[in-house]
Amino acid sequence: MYPLAQILHSQGYFLTGSDNNETETLEAVRKMGIPVFMGQRAENVEGADLVVYSAAIMNDNPELIAARGSGATVVERCDLLGYVTGCYDNAVCISGTHGKTTASSMLTQIFVKANVDISCVIGGKLPIIGGSGRAGKSDIMVCEACEFVDTFLRLYPDVSVILNVDADHLEYFKTLDNIKKSFVKFANNASKAIIYNGDDQNTVEVVLKAEDKEKISFGFGEQNDYVAKIVEVKGLRTDFDVYFKGSLKGRATINVPGTHNVLNALAAIASAVYEGVSWEDIVTGLESFTGAIRRFQKIDEVGGITIVDDYAHHPAELSVTLNAAKALDFKRIWAVFQPLTYSRTKILLNDFKDALSIADIAVITDIMGSREKNTIGIYSRDLARIIPDSVFFDCDNETQDKQTAKRKMENFAEITDYICDNARPGDLVITCGCGDVYKLAKMLDKKLKEVYNG
């Protein structure tokens, strides 16, 4: 919600908001002069012309009920995001099952370092803009386009970027073919061009079915318009040469690990070139990018033990993240994984097993149900039992929300103690998941400092 509030506030709209918890984001909203109510009550929406709610709001929410009965227009956040993208002449919407936030952040970083006054809405916090979005005065917008429940089909992209297409959100899409059909629609929604990963077979199939408009491919394969050739990998740094239609454009550097991030960088490069950014500014912007928050984010190194936090929550993302970690110079890789939703864990159980088996040691927290209840009887122990060298911590019972939250904190504390007792200098510990597992990384950092620094 915050980036949308930034953009609409900058355009002169009068906004109010409400939430159930005090956060740094709410404080930032208040500093903009936007009133924020604590708690959600019917009277909060009185007089509103438009009421916007996030997907996290349930139908029995009193504020939402009042809004729907008030005569005001009521839309979900993704609809408002669609309206906003339609206000820009150059909306670059970046989609893909994996890598959206990183590629969107890379492109945003390039524009900002090149002094292009863009607007953006991305799925993670980017240090250079101090959050997940910004309101600019140019006609360029960078927007992360999420495929979940087809929300990206409500956007109005001028440029549709497709990083990859994989089997995810199967509780909604049911099959990979259905996912591909949605990506074809997203590609067709582009008014100007499609920029896509020519190495990913699913993506290529999608683009082949898209309407005849400008199509620009990127990848390692020589058949692509933009081609990367890796020159050197040293620690978290990768140097690579970029070719466009066979001609060398120059050398670029990224300071985030993994070949998948070279592909993300190529997507950002192709998009930036399309929007008129110079090669020199592109190189400067990319080299200054050290990652979005929660994307292979280094938290600390204490006692020779390195702590990294990552958003990876799908088997394909976990595989990429853990393979990138294994390629680095660490003695052992710990994967501390928090599964999200019972349905995804059940459907992709064997894929999660394969991905987490890449780590030397896997630690599985209890499953975060999010929007679901555990009606199918799946637990973290079911995953841990099929992974070599793994341990699990779960609740094993249905509890009320407050009790669940309390147990989770105890759970994280137990895992923190377990890692502190068993990790050794030279180990890399990666907390993975899109829930609140990032808290565990911070708890581990604090605990290790107590152990090693007194």
Side-chain angles (χ1 to χ4, degrees), residues 251-287:
R251 183 161 296 178
T253 297
I254 56 174
N255 287 291
V256 286
T259 56
H260 63 293
N261 277 321
V262 176
L263 291 176
N264 289 333
L266 275 182
I269 289 169
S271 301
V273 170
Y274 189 86
E275 297 299 336
V277 182
S278 71
W279 177 253
E280 291 74 19
D281 283 338
I282 290 172
V283 171
T284 299
L286 273 181
E287 189 164 9

Side-chain angles (χ1 to χ4, degrees), residues 322 326 333-335 354-362 387-389:
L322 295 176
K326 291 285 280 188
I333 306 299
W334 291 66
D354 292 341
L356 290 166
S357 295
I358 296 169
D360 297 294
I361 303 167
I387 301 173
D389 299 316

